[in-house]
Amino acid sequence: MVRKPEGLPAPLPGSRRWLQPVNGPGAGSDPAFFASRPDLVLVARRAARALPGRNLRYLDITGNTVRRVSLDVPDSGRGVVRLDVYDTEAPFGLTVRELEVATCVAGGLGNPEIAAVLACSRRTVATHLEHVFAKLGVRARTSVATLIAAEDAYVAPLPSTDLVLPPALLRVLGVLGEEGPAARPAASRPPVRRPAVLASVYPAGPLAGGPVLAMRRGARLAVRDISARGGVSGRDVEHLAVSATPEQLLGTVRDLAERGVDGILFGNFPLPVALPALAAANASGTPVLHSMTGRALSEGVRADPAGLGAVFQVCSTESAYVPGLLRTVRDLEDSGAFRPRRRRLAVLQRASTFDEGVVERVQRQAAEADWELVFLESVADDALDFADIVHRLEAADPDLVSLSIFPEPTLRAFLEATAGMRNSATFHAAWSPAAPEFARRLGELSEGLLWSTVIGNVDGPLCTAFEQRFRAAFGADPGPAAAAVHYDMVNVLAQAWSRVSRPWDFAAVREQLRTSTSFGVTGAHQFVGRGQRGLSYPDETGDPARGHPHLIYRITGGANQRLAPPLVS
């Protein structure tokens, strides 16, 4: 099953989750509920010890309220269990008393025994059984047993210790010892595999332009491909694609964690709202993957592994953009394609990622490339008026102007304001031109623009096949980066899921992400960089098999001409 709703689905009524290690405190989405139901926590502890690699479901009828109880135990030997409890309707329209009678029938008891167990007359039992037969549409006791087993509709508390039910159910409910039943077991059936639930959170409102649609489609295509391959180790993937404004982001992520998703992917949000949202996701242990490049994100993970250790950044940081640009400019100089007048560099840094060390860092990077940094200013992410900045920029008279990642409307406004400087300076932008159809939308403003990304489509069969499937699925071009990045993020997480027993065994999934290597449309994925992030090649690693190539393009005639690394003919 693959679901792709546009909004966040409402959680199941009364939905509660409990993650319980055998030794140590558990963590639940409704602490008050589980404090009032220590019997359910005890069941979880028993399941963690007694049922490695097993699923178990039954109905709880305490207080005449019907709740579905689901226990899922990984086979990793780590002694943890996931317990989900939610209000539900009784199957087949049965009443609570009829469910008890049906459970007794499924357990092999006759009418006299059921009457004794339920402290009622045999005639009352017969009346209840007639109702059970009618509602289930059967006339035989064996058929009742079959349907109750198929629906996991056994009830607890168990009416009797004499029932012949699935051994695992009896074991965790405390009727039998750890060695299991001495009597004949009930007929078994393959366990129901809970789907792996993936959530993708994308910007809404003014931030929703540019590459967001490509990201959403890339993730959707990845889930579709995984489903076509039979899921993750035979487990379906349920995909929740959610939109949120910056103001809604924190609440949305908390809702997703409460719902019990198994992984969260982030689109590109402003750093001030992204950090609290990442911390909220981390609090639940849910693995989080993102491709945002603000240096503070990975530095935060490095500084606070307890508070952000579940967060993984698939790419390098913005720190790589200037040295990568200067390296490519040097190659252009060597080939005679670029002749700067005085090697003077200007940099505009978006305010949301500006930090105290950026000036010293960029000065050092420029000096190492034999350039002079003559201008560096912080600019509001959503700025549209550049009159004052352009005046100071013209006075600095740079040969090369580099912008960090700005939304497309801001980039357009800046290019319009600096049109008079295009004959004396070369302009460079990070990431935003990766959006499909960027050059068509900006027209002449984009002509001659250099742009780069620290993660994007890489030459090879994987990339070619991905682009073909994307065009067939959506009737549009994927563009050179955004769609592929989110396609890869889904697959990286799915591969980590496939190497563990349960997707919700978050500690095991996080360990797989930290120690495994995956290969995708955008290259090799290893979270070995500072603060669990990917590496940029050749900025941070000389081995192309360990990082993502830093891709630099020039827009010529409305098309992206790749400059670095050069295309292999």
Side-chain angles (χ1 to χ4, degrees):
M1 176 181 65
V2 179
R3 291 172 45 195
K4 300 175 283 296
E6 292 302 308
L8 178 63
L12 292 166
S15 178
R16 304 169 177 95
R17 178 179 52 142
W18 184 265
L19 296 180
Q20 178 65 59
V22 172
N23 298 310
S29 61
D30 189 343
F33 171 79
F34 287 106
S36 70
R37 292 299 306 275
D39 55 311
L40 292 176
V41 177
L42 177 61
V43 165
R45 290 182 182 275
R46 286 177 177 151
R49 289 193 300 265
L51 303 178
R54 297 286 297 277
N55 300 344
L56 185 66
R57 286 155 39 96
Y58 66 92
L59 296 175
D60 176 79
I61 56 170
T62 303
N64 285 328
T65 298
V66 181
R67 297 183 176 95
R68 169 64 67 190
V69 178
S70 176
L71 296 151
D72 199 357
V73 187
D75 56 13
S76 59
R78 297 191 309 106
V80 295
V81 62
R82 173 167 175 154
L83 167 65
D84 288 281
V85 184
Y86 56 88
D87 298 346
T88 188
E89 298 291 332
F92 311 110
L94 299 175
T95 66
V96 168
R97 183 58 100 181
E98 289 163 359
L99 280 171
E100 290 181 304
V101 170
T103 296
C104 289
V105 170
L109 300 187
N111 284 16
E113 297 165 298
I114 297 174
V117 166
L118 299 182
C120 62
S121 69
R122 296 183 186 182
R123 182 171 182 174
T124 299
V125 171
T127 300
H128 285 316
L129 191 54
E130 286 181 7
H131 295 162
V132 170
F133 283 152
K135 291 179 180 180
L136 270 61
V138 300
R139 294 304 304 170
R141 302 173 81 93
T142 54
S143 299
V144 173
T146 298
L147 290 174
I148 291 298
E151 290 293 319
D152 292 314
Y154 307 106
V155 298
L158 291 176
S160 170
T161 60
D162 296 327
L163 301 177
V164 181
L165 298 177
L169 180 67
L170 297 175
R171 188 174 301 130
V172 300
L173 293 179
V175 177
L176 299 169
E178 293 296 321
E179 298 304 319
R184 63 182 176 86
S188 61
R189 61 187 180 90
V192 176
R193 283 183 174 267
R194 171 188 171 277
V197 183
L198 169 69
S200 302
V201 189
Y202 297 107
L207 297 177
V212 172
L213 178 60
M215 292 178 180
R216 296 175 72 101
R217 286 174 167 176
R220 191 184 309 171
L221 181 60
V223 173
R224 186 181 303 177
D225 286 352
I226 291 168
S227 180
R229 297 195 298 265
V232 177
S233 300
R235 194 183 296 270
D236 292 333
V237 176
E238 181 177 343
H239 185 204
L240 310 176
V242 182
S243 297
T245 64
E247 295 76 19
Q248 296 168 336
L249 180 61
L250 181 58
T252 298
V253 170
R254 285 174 173 163
D255 287 344
L256 290 170
E258 183 82 4
R259 182 176 172 83
V261 299
D262 300 312
I264 301 177
L265 308 185
F266 272 71
N268 292 2
F269 287 90
L271 183 62
V273 299
L275 272 171
L278 291 172
N282 185 93
S284 68
T286 310
V288 178
L289 275 67
H290 72 88
S291 59
M292 293 177 279
T293 58
R295 191 168 179 267
L297 293 170
S298 57
E299 288 298 315
V301 174
R302 184 195 65 81
D304 185 15
L308 291 168
V311 178
F312 297 84
Q313 180 173 314
V314 298
C315 57
S316 182
T317 72
E318 291 184 358
S319 302
Y321 279 121
V322 168
L325 170 65
L326 295 177
R327 182 179 58 250
T328 299
V329 166
R330 182 189 62 227
D331 293 340
L332 292 174
E333 287 185 81
D334 292 343
S335 69
F338 178 57
R339 292 184 174 85
R341 296 167 296 146
R342 290 169 295 175
R343 304 174 68 83
R344 293 162 65 87
L345 172 68
V347 174
L348 279 73
Q349 181 79 22
R350 56 177 171 158
S352 63
T353 59
F354 194 92
D355 62 78
E356 293 181 356
V358 68
V359 175
E360 180 182 350
R361 189 164 57 247
V362 176
Q363 282 179 331
R364 183 180 67 254
Q365 293 167 345
E368 290 173 352
D370 196 24
W371 278 72
E372 178 188 4
L373 180 64
V374 296
F375 184 98
L376 194 157
E377 286 196 15
S378 171
V379 179
D381 291 38
D382 57 354
L384 295 176
D385 183 357
F386 286 94
D388 290 342
I389 288 179
V390 170
H391 179 72
R392 293 191 297 277
L393 194 60
E394 288 175 335
D397 193 21
D399 300 291
L400 186 61
V401 179
S402 178
L403 287 81
S404 63
I405 301 171
F406 285 97
E408 190 172 304
T410 299
L411 178 56
R412 173 189 285 273
F414 178 79
L415 293 176
E416 288 173 344
T418 55
M421 298 180 62
R422 299 295 287 274
N423 291 328
S424 61
T426 296
F427 284 71
H428 162 264
W431 175 254
S432 295
E437 304 293 326
F438 173 86
R440 180 188 60 78
R441 288 192 299 275
L442 268 70
E444 286 298 318
L445 287 175
S446 70
E447 189 65 19
L449 181 69
L450 298 180
W451 71 270
S452 58
T453 175
V454 291
I455 186 170
N457 301 21
V458 177
D459 305 323
L462 280 177
C463 183
T464 300
F466 159 76
E467 291 175 341
Q468 290 172 346
R469 290 196 307 279
F470 189 98
R471 293 187 185 100
F474 304 111
D477 191 85
V485 172
H486 279 247
Y487 179 88
D488 275 4
M489 285 201 293
V490 173
N491 281 290
V492 167
L493 183 57
Q495 288 179 43
W497 283 343
S498 71
R499 299 185 187 108
V500 303
S501 174
R502 300 291 192 275
W504 55 260
D505 190 355
F506 297 152
V509 174
R510 294 195 303 265
E511 185 61 22
Q512 287 297 323
L513 290 171
R514 293 184 185 112
T515 59
S516 302
T517 302
S518 302
F519 294 90
V521 179
T522 60
H525 292 276
Q526 283 187 305
F527 298 101
V528 295
R530 183 182 175 101
Q532 294 185 164
R533 62 172 174 80
L535 299 176
S536 175
Y537 167 80
D539 306 286
E540 298 173 309
T541 176
D543 183 357
R546 297 189 70 223
H548 304 280
H550 188 158
L551 302 165
I552 300 186
Y553 298 84
R554 177 168 51 205
I555 298 177
T556 304
N560 291 312
Q561 174 193 4
R562 201 168 92 184
L563 303 178
L567 289 168
V568 178
S569 58

